Amino acid sequence: MSQHTMVTRFAPSPTGELHLGNARTALFNWLLAHRHGGRFLLRIEDTDAERSKPAFTAQLMADLRWLGLGWDGEVVAQSARGGVYREALAKLESVGRVYPCYCSPLEIEVSRKSQLAAGRPPRYAGTCRHLDPAQRAARLAEGRQPTLRFRVPDSGYVEFRDLVHGERRFACADIGDFIVQRADGSAAFFFSNVVDDALTGVTTVLRGEDHLSNTPRQLLIAKELGLVPPVYGHLSLITAADGSPLSKRAGAKSLRELRETGYLPVALANHLFRLGHSTDLNDLRDLEALAQAFDPAHLVRSPARFDPVQLAMWQKQAVHALGLAQALEWMSAYLPTGLDHQCARDFVAAIQPNVVLPGEVAHWASVVFGELPLPDADTAAKLATAAQVFSAAAEALRQHGTDWKALTTQVRERTGRKGPELFKPLRLALTGLDHGPEIAPLLALMGAARALQRLERLS
Ligand code: GLU
Ligand code: ZN
């Protein structure tokens, strides 16, 4: 692998289902790698044994595959890398860069609250920074399980250039000593995350803005270990369409839910591509084309709004772009049972331009194959003025079957009606609706007997 190869990664913690935010993170890292002919790695950050669940790992891998975001090489699971982290921690220990902290969660919390009450930003007070061996032994004897904290330099700055936020500078004095190993001996996020990025050759990390303030700590760790950290870009938050936090209530769905509702991966990718990333591409593109158009310089700092209306627009385009076989497959679970293969194909081809989600298939199935309810009073009044059309159409049906062309020609001759005058009442009579897919294939599918019955009751 050349030194210049772009290596990105997605590093989810398997503590829940993938949502739009982390799906976008995965997508952007994938696009960046593909843009540069590089590698996209998948790392499972499952060092928190209590919150991590293998089922979530399996689920998120399925979600990534569904989105089309395949990864390169083996999946790295942090839970299997305890030895790597212990070795790196030992290195820090040997130079006195980490020290055991015996403070209980309660003590930390009390200290945090009193700092906040005094109007100071809360950080670790340094309680255990200077304990001597006897004091440590005494705390151990009390049964306290220590964490390991990183000893942040007292002065100086951590500076870096963020791909989205530009030059950033953090004063060491503002960074409290932070935990690099939990009391149960597992490596903490700050630590394993940067160690793995460096050891697996990750060159660029795009991740959520919530991690921006973690970056100086991770750079301190890398520096102390002599590791080359990645370049970071911190992505703006995704909010709901009205700017409020993206939540279940605001209609934020997990990838699983979106998939189960029938959203197509390419539709989702096209919407996510435009969340926090400006582009002049305005039509639907596949992932490779999106990769060519992806540019970290176009990542924006302001929050990005997830808009279900936009998503529906991409979905509509994505459905239009499906070939018949794909459309058939996509709608298959929603087709009426007992349709023969040819009917199913014709039906899918007919309704495809009018369907955004497969749940709508049932509606068109009932329009074509079901029992049409009697028109309401308004509609009935409209239809009454066209009784002539219906009797002429019924006659044409008896003579020519469901040939739409022959039927409309004959009705036009008999009634002198043409254009909307002719087509509107016929559509309404045959489908109960004033809009919908092209009528010729619908008529063929509903069959002469059903169509006749629908016309005769009106003529
Ligand atoms: N496991 C972290 C998360 O899911 C990864 C953060 C990162 O990408 O560095 O938030
Ligand atoms: Zn302490």
Side-chain angles (χ1 to χ4, degrees), residues 9-15 22 25 29 43-46 78 189 193-194 197 205-208 210-211 214-215 218 230 232 234:
R9 51 69 168 174
F10 179 49
S13 307
T15 54
N22 30 33
T25 301
N29 283 290
R43 181 170 76 233
I44 307 300
E45 302 217 309
D46 54 354
Q78 290 192 322
F189 160 75
N193 180 271
V194 67
D197 281 339
V205 166
L206 300 176
R207 61 181 180 181
D210 47 328
H211 288 293
N214 296 333
T215 303
Q218 300 197 286
Y232 293 94
H234 289 89

Side-chain angles (χ1 to χ4, degrees), residues 346-352 354 364-365 367-369 402 404 427 430-431 433 435-448 450-451 454:
D346 293 347
F347 177 63
V348 166
I351 67 171
Q352 187 178 351
N354 292 70
W364 294 115
V367 165
V368 176
F369 305 110
T402 57
W404 177 246
R427 175 181 289 280
L430 289 169
T431 68
L433 298 166
H435 65 279
E438 230 193 294
I439 195 105
L442 295 190
L443 177 62
L445 284 159
M446 76 180 63
R450 196 180 274 117
R454 290 176 181 190

Side-chain angles (χ1 to χ4, degrees), residues 99-104 107-108 124-129 131 139 144 147 149:
Y99 61 86
C101 163
Y102 301 88
C103 300
S104 68
E107 286 161 341
I108 298 284
Y124 179 63
T127 321
C128 305
R129 224 180 192 218
L131 297 181
R139 282 165 180 71
R144 291 176 182 249
T147 59
R149 281 186 191 268

Side-chain angles (χ1 to χ4, degrees), residues 155-441:
S155 60
Y157 294 90
V158 181
E159 290 172 328
F160 61 96
R161 193 179 155 66
D162 185 276
L163 287 173
V164 184
H165 296 262
E167 297 295 340
R168 302 297 304 215
R169 189 163 104 132
F170 292 81
C172 288
D174 292 338
I175 308 170
D177 292 348
F178 54 89
I179 295 180
V180 288
Q181 185 182 63
R182 301 186 188 96
D184 67 4
S186 62
F189 160 75
F190 298 120
F191 191 76
S192 48
N193 180 271
V194 67
V195 166
D196 281 343
D197 281 339
L199 293 183
T200 57
V202 171
T203 59
T204 309
V205 166
L206 300 176
R207 61 181 180 181
E209 204 170 72
D210 47 328
H211 288 293
L212 184 57
S213 62
N214 296 333
T215 303
R217 306 179 215 199
Q218 300 197 286
L219 294 176
L220 286 171
I221 294 170
K223 185 168 168 220
E224 197 61 40
L225 288 169
L227 295 173
V228 180
V231 171
Y232 293 94
H234 289 89
L235 305 170
S236 62
L237 286 180
I238 301 182
T239 68
D242 65 358
S244 65
L246 200 56
S247 64
K248 282 250 166 221
R249 248 195 25 235
K253 301 214 164 64
S254 68
L255 252 63
R256 178 187 53 78
E257 289 169 303
L258 290 168
R259 181 179 57 206
E260 286 172 1
T261 315
Y263 282 96
L264 292 164
V266 70
L268 189 58
N270 271 268
H271 186 37
L272 294 175
F273 180 70
R274 291 160 175 92
L275 290 183
H277 177 251
S278 64
T279 176
D280 46 20
L281 273 194
N282 41 33
D283 52 355
L284 187 87
R285 298 293 171 100
D286 66 14
L287 287 177
E288 283 302 336
L290 293 180
Q292 292 320 309
F294 182 75
D295 187 348
H298 293 168
L299 294 169
V300 298
R301 267 178 240 184
S302 49
R305 294 176 181 215
F306 168 72
D307 186 348
V309 177
Q310 288 293 315
L311 177 58
M313 185 203 78
W314 292 115
Q315 170 75 1
K316 206 168 156 67
Q317 293 194 36
V319 174
H320 278 229
L322 291 178
L324 184 54
Q326 294 167 303
L328 197 58
E329 156 88 37
W330 177 68
M331 294 186 201
S332 62
Y334 299 84
L335 293 173
T337 48
L339 275 195
D340 70 45
H341 188 62
Q342 190 54 48
C343 270
R345 286 174 67 90
D346 293 347
F347 177 63
V348 166
I351 67 171
Q352 187 178 351
N354 292 70
V355 168
V356 175
L357 289 170
E360 296 155 24
V361 170
H363 163 71
W364 294 115
S366 77
V367 165
V368 176
F369 305 110
E371 205 58 56
L372 213 55
L374 277 171
D376 59 29
D378 265 7
T379 316
K382 260 195 252 170
L383 290 171
T385 64
Q388 230 196 330
V389 171
F390 305 139
S391 52
E395 196 189 328
L397 263 172
R398 281 187 221 102
Q399 291 168 7
H400 305 291
T402 57
D403 180 337
W404 177 246
K405 191 124 200 10
L407 183 146
T408 49
T409 309
Q410 184 162 334
V411 175
R412 190 180 302 123
E413 280 162 8
R414 291 287 152 83
T415 64
R417 289 204 191 206
K418 52 184 198 263
E421 292 272 86
L422 172 64
F423 293 112
K424 273 194 167 167
L426 275 177
R427 175 181 289 280
L428 201 51
L430 289 169
T431 68
L433 298 166
D434 57 10
H435 65 279
E438 230 193 294
I439 195 105

Side-chain angles (χ1 to χ4, degrees), residues 14-17 51-63:
T15 54
E17 296 197 284
R51 297 178 56 226
S52 302
K53 302 268 177 300
F56 289 130
T57 300
Q59 176 72 56
L60 72 87
M61 285 167 52
D63 287 342

